[in-house]
Amino acid sequence: MTDAPDDPHAETAPSVGLASAFGRLLSLLASPEMARWRPRMALALALTVLAKGFAVAAPVFFGEGVNAITNRAADTAIWVFITAFVVYAAARFLSVGAPQLRDALFAPVSQDVQRLVAVRAFGHVQRLSLNYHQTKRTGALNRIIDRGARAVDFLLRFLVFNIGPTIFELMLAAGVMGVAYGWEFPVIAIVTVAAYALSTFSVTEWRVKLRRVMNDADNEANARAVDALINFETVKAFAAEARETERYNGALQRYADAASKSQSSLAFLNGLQALVMNLGLLAMALVAGWKAWNGQLQAGDVAAVTLILMNVYQPLNILGWAYREIKQATVDLERVFQTLSLKPDVADADDAVDADIPRGEIRFENVQFAHEGRDRSVDGVSFDIPAGSFVGVCGPSGAGKSTLLKLVFRFYDPSGGAVLVDGQDLRSIRQDSLRAALGLVPQDVVLFNDTLRANILYSAPDASDEAVMEAAERARLGDFIRLLAHGLDTQVGERGLKLSGGEKQRVGVARAILKDPKILVLDEATSALDSETEREVQAALKEAAKGRTTLAVAHRLSTIAGADKILVMEDGKIVETGTHDALIARQGLYATMWKRQAEAGEVQSNTPVRQSEYSEPPLPLGGED
């Protein structure tokens, strides 16, 4: 008679109605995806009810066997008690065996409904807008999905196959005892179970408060450990190993103190449960014994009513743990459905069509946009990017440069004006078809913990190895790959940490080349590189930009100095437009920025080659004709 171990990772959350969670659960089971499992679900429920029937019947047969022994004067008594005990053993076996068969039958249903919840939530979150992902903690989001999926299994097993059937068993047992042995016994059973449940719930509520302290300490200890391990280089650089260890020790000490109090409260709960249970059994035995003493019952009947009550008690042993976990599971399931109810900030219109982008011309028409918490990020911006041209965007930090790129990808919708590609308003076309025509090389190329091949293939999963290698060659990555022992099968590590900054950028360029987009977007693609690496990456970027419409945002002006047109932004507005030469001659903001970078050695002071002087149609993957 013990409560189950505490979950050290349980979270405190607002209370959610059990009826609401159960309704959510039924809606999942009734979904079209679960239709194939309905016969199995019905059979599992029937086995559960059948098992409870056998559980109540078994003690009755045991009592009849005992009565037959005490009445052995009858000639047939021996066969009666043997038959009664055989039936008792069979019924008891079936009361235990039927749930085992039910669990085996229900296992694929449980796994499938968990998969369904997790996939629905994961897919929905993937479709939510950029703004959601920028404000949501990834770890917390992953936890919501994971715990929500597990909550489905928990609620199914404990509500449908434990708590619900136990209540059914109690009602069935009360009916059998009332009819066969007297009204006193169902009253004792119901009162005892009610007292057991009431004491368990009240103490569990008190224990939840203790667990909040324990959970906070546990979260702090885990956060300390993860933070220190992720930032191990900083810890070592500042010789802070002992300091971090002591902080971790302090958090664990607070957890240990809180956990000991929680364990003590668990012992108190178990003791209280045992007291209530045994008082109920004592009352049942005394009443049955009194009635047997007065000839109203036989000795076997005393054994039967006692065994019936013990059978009802058995699934209640974990009631305190189950009650707390059911409450948590209802919250976890509700959180998943709250996530599923979120609507993307940027959604396709009902009549949205696939993008038709044969040329790649971009136009901004008096575009207005403001990030949350800002007055204005982009303020009345208008410009044209002719198909096949290279346009650069520069300006001070916070001027709105990267926002322009996000508007082109339709990560955001403008609050005023319109962004058009080949004459189509981006709000009228499907987002996935738009992004299929766009290629991106960001400032920090994000690589998956996989092979070089897999990371380059991410933009075009069906491409051949020859196409991958061709893209790598054009991204100035071929020599590097040939020097690797495993070539394209080389693992790049977590976030590509096994590669240098320049190598990661060139993988990003190869990925963009392999995609063969109509429009190439460069977002600070060389700002984090040293001058030597920048030259190598710039050569790869020039290759990638050949013959494509290219929009490049740059802090380091040498990246865009050869552009056909440069847009200079400040405070969300375009304040200067022109070629590099024209902007230098103007002696405005661009010239000031160029002079500052030239003095710092970040750019060469000589006049750069214009993009149009090296622009030509992109080479098809697989070589020239």
Side-chain angles (χ1 to χ4, degrees):
M1 180 174 50
T2 58
D3 198 1
D6 287 331
D7 174 10
H9 303 291
E11 295 175 346
T12 304
S15 179
V16 177
L18 185 59
S20 172
F22 193 63
R24 299 285 199 188
L25 186 60
L26 290 179
S27 71
L28 281 171
L29 296 178
S31 63
E33 296 93 329
M34 298 299 295
R36 63 192 179 111
W37 297 117
R38 283 173 193 158
R40 198 177 279 242
M41 287 188 281
L43 181 57
L45 187 59
L47 285 171
T48 301
V49 173
L50 192 64
K52 293 305 180 184
F54 283 125
V56 172
V60 175
F61 287 108
F62 183 84
E64 289 301 316
V66 173
N67 289 337
I69 293 173
T70 59
N71 298 325
R72 60 184 179 275
D75 293 339
T76 58
I78 187 171
W79 301 110
V80 172
F81 100 77
I82 291 174
T83 302
F85 281 179
V86 168
V87 174
Y88 161 74
R92 185 162 177 78
F93 169 74
L94 290 172
S95 72
V96 175
Q100 301 303 319
L101 178 59
R102 174 205 67 203
D103 289 346
L105 285 171
F106 200 76
V109 183
S110 173
Q111 293 299 317
D112 207 40
V113 73
Q114 289 183 72
R115 176 196 60 80
L116 176 63
V117 171
V119 170
R120 275 188 183 180
F122 182 82
H124 184 73
V125 166
Q126 292 287 321
R127 291 187 292 273
L128 290 177
S129 302
L130 183 65
N131 188 54
Y132 172 83
H133 290 278
Q134 288 178 331
T135 56
K136 193 68 178 176
R137 295 174 63 188
T138 304
L141 180 58
N142 186 61
R143 188 177 179 85
I144 286 172
I145 295 173
D146 177 58
R147 295 193 67 174
R150 288 188 288 114
V152 172
D153 180 59
F154 186 88
L155 289 174
L156 277 172
R157 294 189 181 279
F158 278 87
L159 282 179
V160 180
F161 296 145
N162 187 290
I163 303 300
T166 298
I167 295 173
F168 169 76
E169 182 181 5
L170 175 61
M171 296 298 102
L172 181 62
V176 169
M177 289 190 293
V179 171
Y181 307 115
W183 64 267
E184 302 94 338
F185 301 107
V187 170
I188 292 172
I190 292 172
V191 169
T192 302
V193 170
Y196 186 100
L198 182 62
S199 61
T200 298
F201 295 159
S202 60
V203 174
T204 299
E205 288 293 339
W206 168 54
R207 294 192 67 240
V208 166
K209 297 176 182 177
L210 293 174
R211 284 181 54 79
R212 289 175 183 171
V213 179
M214 187 178 75
N215 290 340
D216 289 342
D218 175 62
N219 290 339
E220 182 185 357
N222 280 317
R224 294 282 188 201
V226 171
D227 208 26
L229 291 173
I230 288 178
N231 299 297
F232 69 92
E233 290 181 350
T234 303
V235 173
K236 287 188 173 297
F238 286 90
E241 294 93 338
R243 189 194 324 159
E244 291 297 332
T245 302
E246 183 55 35
R247 293 170 70 185
Y248 181 59
N249 178 57
L252 281 184
Q253 184 62 55
R254 288 188 290 275
Y255 173 78
D257 293 342
S260 64
K261 292 179 181 177
S262 179
Q263 190 67 31
S264 298
S265 68
L266 174 61
F268 174 75
L269 174 60
N270 288 336
L272 182 60
Q273 288 173 329
L275 176 63
V276 173
M277 181 182 297
N278 283 284
L279 286 175
L281 287 172
L282 175 62
M284 187 75 75
L286 287 174
V287 172
W290 177 257
K291 297 187 77 169
W293 183 267
N294 290 307
Q296 296 173 273
L297 294 178
Q298 300 183 64
D301 300 333
V302 178
V305 294
T306 305
L307 286 175
I308 289 175
L309 188 60
M310 290 180 68
N311 282 348
V312 173
Y313 279 158
Q314 199 168 20
L316 295 177
N317 284 336
I318 59 170
L319 185 60
W321 173 77
Y323 172 64
R324 189 186 67 245
E325 293 301 316
I326 285 172
K327 287 183 65 178
Q328 181 63 50
T330 60
V331 172
D332 292 336
L333 189 62
E334 195 67 22
R335 280 176 172 159
V336 168
F337 277 92
Q338 286 172 354
T339 302
L340 287 170
S341 68
L342 294 174
K343 302 297 183 185
D345 297 331
V346 178
D348 289 338
D350 293 337
D351 57 351
V353 298
D354 285 338
D356 180 19
I357 307 178
R359 299 166 55 243
E361 179 184 35
I362 301 173
R363 174 178 296 174
F364 275 59
E365 294 182 348
N366 194 31
V367 171
Q368 308 273 349
F369 178 77
H371 288 284
E372 186 176 349
R374 296 189 184 184
D375 292 334
R376 188 65 60 192
S377 299
V378 173
D379 187 6
V381 169
S382 298
F383 61 85
D384 289 318
I385 303 179
S389 65
F390 180 12
V391 172
V393 183
C394 65
S397 177
K401 307 182 297 295
S402 292
T403 301
L404 294 185
L405 304 189
K406 291 179 172 63
L407 290 167
V408 170
F409 272 88
R410 210 188 161 206
F411 292 146
Y412 304 124
D413 277 336
S415 56
V419 182
L420 299 93
V421 175
D422 281 349
Q424 303 165 89
D425 190 323
L426 299 191
R427 288 168 293 200
S428 68
I429 59 181
R430 293 177 56 237
Q431 296 174 66
D432 55 355
S433 66
L434 165 68
R435 291 165 194 161
L438 303 176
L440 173 67
V441 182
Q443 176 181 357
D444 182 17
V445 172
V446 177
L447 301 184
F448 296 91
N449 191 0
D450 207 331
T451 62
L452 272 170
R453 175 188 288 103
N455 275 286
I456 297 174
L457 275 172
Y458 198 76
S459 63
D462 297 328
S464 65
D465 274 1
E466 291 75 14
V468 170
M469 202 60 207
E470 176 73 13
E473 293 285 358
R474 290 169 59 183
R476 307 295 194 268
L477 203 60
D479 292 340
F480 167 71
I481 293 174
R482 281 187 285 272
L483 290 174
L484 297 171
H486 300 290
L488 286 171
D489 292 318
T490 301
Q491 294 285 332
V492 303
E494 192 77 25
R495 303 189 313 278
L497 290 178
K498 292 184 178 180
L499 304 183
S500 70
E503 290 158 357
K504 285 174 62 177
Q505 290 302 109
R506 280 176 280 170
V507 170
V509 175
R511 184 187 282 174
I513 291 174
L514 185 64
K515 188 177 184 180
D516 194 22
K518 292 291 183 182
I519 299 170
L520 179 64
V521 176
L522 309 177
D523 187 6
E524 305 273 16
T526 63
S527 64
L529 306 177
D530 59 75
S531 299
E532 182 62 33
T533 306
E534 180 195 10
R535 282 191 288 272
E536 296 175 0
V537 173
Q538 277 189 343
L541 291 174
K542 289 179 181 178
E543 180 68 27
K546 284 183 178 179
R548 310 180 201 280
T549 303
T550 303
L551 176 60
V553 163
H555 165 74
R556 191 172 290 176
L557 299 182
S558 55
T559 304
I560 59 170
D564 297 312
K565 180 167 63 177
I566 298 172
L567 310 176
V568 185
M569 294 191 69
E570 187 175 29
D571 295 330
K573 298 178 181 291
I574 295 177
V575 294
E576 294 178 6
T577 304
T579 63
H580 171 80
D581 294 337
L583 292 173
I584 290 293
R586 185 173 176 174
Q587 291 298 300
L589 178 58
Y590 180 86
T592 301
M593 293 170 61
W594 181 269
K595 181 180 180 181
R596 188 182 302 122
Q597 292 188 14
E599 290 173 350
E602 296 180 17
V603 298
Q604 300 295 320
S605 59
N606 57 304
T607 302
V609 177
R610 288 279 301 281
Q611 165 73 11
S612 57
E613 295 177 37
Y614 61 71
S615 180
E616 56 187 84
L619 293 174
L621 290 175
E624 300 184 56
D625 294 334

